[in-house]
Amino acid sequence: MDLAWDDARTRKFTSTLGLITSDGPWGPNIMCAEWSRHISYTPSIMQLNINPAHATADNILKSKEFGLNLAADTQASLCSAAGNNTGKEVDKISLLKELGGEFYTGKKINAPMLKGVAMNAECKLIKHENFGDHFAFIGEVLEISAEPTLSALLYHEGKYFKLGEQLPRPPQEVMDKTKVLAEKYKKTQ
C-alpha cells in the first residue's frame, strides 16, 4: 500500500520535532524531522528517518555525523522555516539566525547545534538503511545535554502543540486489580 505524505490516516501520531543539523556537500544545514527518536539507552542511540532527496541526507552520508536538536515548545517558527525550505536552495542556518535562532559548534561533531532547544544530541552515524521512500539513519550519541526547564514541541495532524494538563495515573485500586489479573493470566513455561 502506498500513502501520500499528508494522508490523514498517518497524521494521528503525535511526535516531537527534531531540528537536524549537519555539514557536508550542501554546507551547514538544518531541517525539521518529525521522525526522530531515541532507540537505545546503552549505548545511547538515536534514529532519524529522512527522505534521501534532502540535502541533510547527503550531508549525513558524507560527514557520517548529525545533530539532533529536540525543538522546544517556543520554537514553532524555527521548525516551520527549517521544514518548509530546502537546504539545496536556501541557507537555512542564516535564515534561522534572522528569525532569532542561535547556534554553536558541536563539541564532538563538525556541525552546528541549535541553542534554546529541549535537548541536544551530537551523533556519529553507525548505520543507514533504505526503507521505502526514506533512509533510516542510526547514530550513536557522543554528547548530549537537556534543558530541564524547557518542554519539547509536539506535532499532531500538521499542527504544533505544547504539553497541557497532566493526566493522573490510574487509581491504586486499578493498579492492584491489574496485578491480581496479571498473576491470574501468567503464562506457564
Side-chain angles (χ1 to χ4, degrees), residues 31-160:
M31 72 168 287
C32 189
E34 182 180 352
W35 297 338
S36 53
R37 66 197 52 79
H38 195 221
I39 62 170
S40 172
Y41 290 112
T42 307
S44 185
I45 298 176
M46 305 284 178
Q47 177 181 330
L48 314 173
N49 292 10
I50 298 175
N51 186 311
H54 288 250
T56 298
D58 288 342
N59 277 0
I60 293 172
L61 288 172
K62 182 70 173 173
S63 69
K64 308 292 188 230
E65 60 188 21
F66 60 87
L68 195 169
N69 305 270
L70 191 61
D73 62 13
T74 58
Q75 296 178 312
S77 61
L78 298 182
C79 289
S80 288
N84 291 329
N85 294 285
T86 173
K88 291 183 177 181
E89 298 173 3
V90 175
D91 175 352
K92 293 194 283 182
I93 300 294
S94 294
L95 170 67
L96 266 63
K97 284 180 180 178
E98 287 281 327
L99 292 173
E102 295 181 54
F103 293 86
Y104 66 94
T105 302
K107 295 175 184 174
K108 304 279 184 175
I109 64 172
N110 185 34
M113 299 297 291
L114 184 62
K115 292 182 179 181
V117 295
M119 182 211 66
N120 295 99
E122 298 178 33
C123 302
K124 172 184 72 170
L125 183 67
I126 56 175
K127 183 178 183 175
H128 78 280
E129 196 166 330
N130 185 12
F131 289 101
D133 57 6
H134 279 66
F135 280 156
F137 290 101
I138 310 295
E140 184 174 358
V141 177
L142 304 176
E143 180 79 20
I144 190 166
S145 62
E147 178 52 56
T149 62
L150 296 177
S151 292
L153 181 65
L154 303 178
Y155 191 71
H156 177 73
E157 293 188 344
K159 300 175 188 90
Y160 300 115

